[in-house]
Amino acid sequence: MNTAGALYISSAVVLLVAASIKFAALRKNAGDTLLRAVSASLFVAALLFATAAPPMLALINKWIGIPNIAAPIVYGILTAFDGTAIVLLIHWRGDEDANKLRRATRLCLAVYGVAIVAIAVLFALGDAHVERLRDLDTYYASTPYIREMILLYLAAHTVAAVTMGILCWRWSRKVPGALRVGLLFIASGNALTFAYDFLKYVAIVARWTGHNLDWLSTNVAFTLASFSAFLVAAGFLIPPIGQGANSRWRSFQRYQLLQPLWLEIRSEIPSTSPEPMQWWEPIDLRLMQRERDINDAVLRLCPFFDGTVGAEVYQQAIAQGHAPERAQSEADAAVIARAVIAKGDPAAAPLTPKGRWTVSSADSTDLLVSLSKALARSPLVRSSRTSELVATAP
């Protein structure tokens, strides 16, 4: 297989991987029309590059037994990809009116469907009996019907590339992070696609005027198409991969930030609870287990939550100018620290419900993180814990 064929097959593999990832997500969200459009676009693009590789063109011609029959097949697949790409943009942009979305989708698919049929009819009407695997566009640039077929597929391709490139560029300026990077990759890929079309047009017009610039079509444009595919596939892969990595990193940070609180109340985690997961387990599951262990321990410590301690620390924090949310976290942290000490004292007795402090910082992960930070860093919590140790010393 030559270099050009390897590039096209590599592009097909990359696009197929991207499509597989999207199909896996589609199984969990079968009703997501945007995800369906993305999956269809990537699959059709993979099919396009798999069939457009020169070795595959020769095999298709041989299998069917008609010279250049691979041309209308590849052009039809390319036009189908253009249609699915525009449908993708329609759903990506979105509209509050579902009926309007459906009408726009049907219109686009109808127009590109007619174009696919027209490509097949024009090929059947034309005469392309000499097999051309690399330079069919320029070799038959002046052949009746075949010429119109070539211009039709290029026009459909250009409209899709320009539309997709412009809209992705505009949207990239309104969104942050991995989604913005992905949109820029897609926009860049479509810019190369437009350059591919432009070079094809130049080479065809050169043929019409008696010149020969076939190398622009057979070499430069051919190579641009494969790089375009890599950029577009990467553009679709970056957002889910980037968002997934970002989500796991946030979970890891929260897991680490909860460690001071977990260590403080570890002795109160029920013995029936599973052992902490190993470091190679998914971080989301490890975070969930740590939160569950903390909540179980907080429930066991609840009878020893001293309302006097909580109120005192809260008032001190407010007097020092702390925000109410921070003051609540510090008060809860002090109450928990004192409860651990009290629970370990055989002489200590549970408090009556009326005298207990309500720990509200265990209601969410963010509040638990704030509570853990206060437990590790707050001077008021350290002071409260020290005074209790002094008070209970022999």
Side-chain angles (χ1 to χ4, degrees), residues 284-335:
D284 291 339
L285 296 180
R286 293 166 61 200
L287 175 62
M288 188 183 303
Q289 182 187 42
R290 177 159 286 187
E291 290 176 353
R292 186 188 63 237
D293 288 346
I294 289 173
N295 285 316
D296 288 346
V298 166
L299 289 175
R300 291 166 66 92
L301 289 170
C302 184
F304 296 89
F305 288 163
D306 193 333
T308 303
V309 172
E312 180 183 350
V313 173
Y314 183 85
Q315 293 301 327
Q316 290 178 2
I318 292 295
Q320 293 180 11
H322 297 174
E325 295 81 4
R326 178 179 172 183
Q328 182 68 42
S329 296
E330 290 178 300
D332 290 350
V335 166

Side-chain angles (χ1 to χ4, degrees), residues 182-202:
L183 286 170
L184 288 175
F185 267 77
I186 296 173
S188 301
N190 280 279
L192 289 181
T193 298
F194 177 77
Y196 165 91
D197 292 338
F198 179 75
L199 293 175
K200 289 278 187 180
Y201 288 129
V202 170

Side-chain angles (χ1 to χ4, degrees), residues 70-365:
I73 292 175
V74 171
Y75 294 162
I77 295 173
L78 176 59
T79 305
F81 169 73
D82 296 333
T84 57
I86 294 179
V87 168
L88 169 60
L89 292 175
I90 291 171
H91 287 278
W92 203 341
R93 188 171 185 177
D95 195 292
E96 295 181 358
D97 188 349
N99 291 327
K100 187 177 179 181
L101 269 178
R102 282 195 292 269
R103 286 195 300 270
T105 299
R106 289 170 183 168
L107 176 62
C108 176
L109 293 178
V111 170
Y112 275 85
V114 170
I116 293 171
V117 173
I119 287 171
V121 171
L122 289 169
F123 178 80
L125 293 174
D127 180 12
H129 61 277
V130 179
E131 184 178 67
R132 312 299 299 187
L133 300 179
R134 290 287 298 270
D135 62 346
L136 184 141
D137 292 344
T138 50
Y139 186 86
Y140 290 105
S142 300
T143 303
Y145 299 114
I146 303 299
R147 171 186 58 215
E148 285 74 16
M149 177 191 73
I150 294 167
L151 292 177
L152 178 59
Y153 99 80
L154 282 175
H157 197 214
T158 303
V159 169
V162 171
T163 303
M164 200 167 184
I166 291 175
L167 290 181
C168 287
W169 169 254
R170 287 179 179 174
W171 293 337
S172 70
R173 299 166 66 182
K174 301 177 182 178
V175 294
L179 180 57
R180 182 173 187 271
V181 175
L183 286 170
L184 288 175
F185 267 77
I186 296 173
S188 301
N190 280 279
L192 289 181
T193 298
F194 177 77
Y196 165 91
D197 292 338
F198 179 75
L199 293 175
K200 289 278 187 180
Y201 288 129
V202 170
I204 290 171
V205 172
R207 278 279 189 160
W208 292 348
T209 58
H211 300 84
N212 189 333
L213 295 177
D214 290 7
W215 60 274
L216 290 177
S217 174
T218 56
N219 296 328
V220 183
F222 202 80
T223 304
L224 284 178
S226 59
F227 285 117
S228 169
F230 273 111
L231 289 174
V232 172
F236 283 116
L237 286 173
I238 286 172
I241 292 175
Q243 290 167 2
N246 190 39
S247 175
R248 287 189 290 274
W249 173 246
R250 288 198 303 269
S251 295
F252 176 75
Q253 287 181 310
R254 290 183 175 185
Y255 181 83
Q256 291 297 106
L257 289 171
L258 286 176
Q259 185 168 357
L261 176 58
W262 182 79
L263 291 174
E264 183 76 24
I265 63 178
R266 180 172 53 179
S267 60
E268 296 304 319
I269 296 174
S271 58
T272 55
S273 296
E275 290 294 320
M277 294 182 181
Q278 299 299 323
W279 62 268
W280 59 78
E281 299 286 347
I283 188 60
D284 291 339
L285 296 180
R286 293 166 61 200
L287 175 62
M288 188 183 303
Q289 182 187 42
R290 177 159 286 187
E291 290 176 353
R292 186 188 63 237
D293 288 346
I294 289 173
N295 285 316
D296 288 346
V298 166
L299 289 175
R300 291 166 66 92
L301 289 170
C302 184
F304 296 89
F305 288 163
D306 193 333
T308 303
V309 172
E312 180 183 350
V313 173
Y314 183 85
Q315 293 301 327
Q316 290 178 2
I318 292 295
Q320 293 180 11
H322 297 174
E325 295 81 4
R326 178 179 172 183
Q328 182 68 42
S329 296
E330 290 178 300
D332 290 350
V335 166
I336 288 175
R338 295 281 284 267
V340 171
I341 296 171
K343 184 79 181 296
D345 184 0
L351 300 169
T352 61
K354 190 174 181 179
R356 294 175 190 172
W357 178 262
T358 300
V359 173
S360 60
S361 297
D363 294 341
S364 70
T365 301

Side-chain angles (χ1 to χ4, degrees), residues 1-2 4-6 8-9 50-61 133 222:
M1 183 181 294
N2 57 22
Y8 269 53
I9 295 299
T51 55
M56 284 302 299
L57 295 176
L59 285 175
I60 293 171
N61 292 335
L133 300 179
F222 202 80

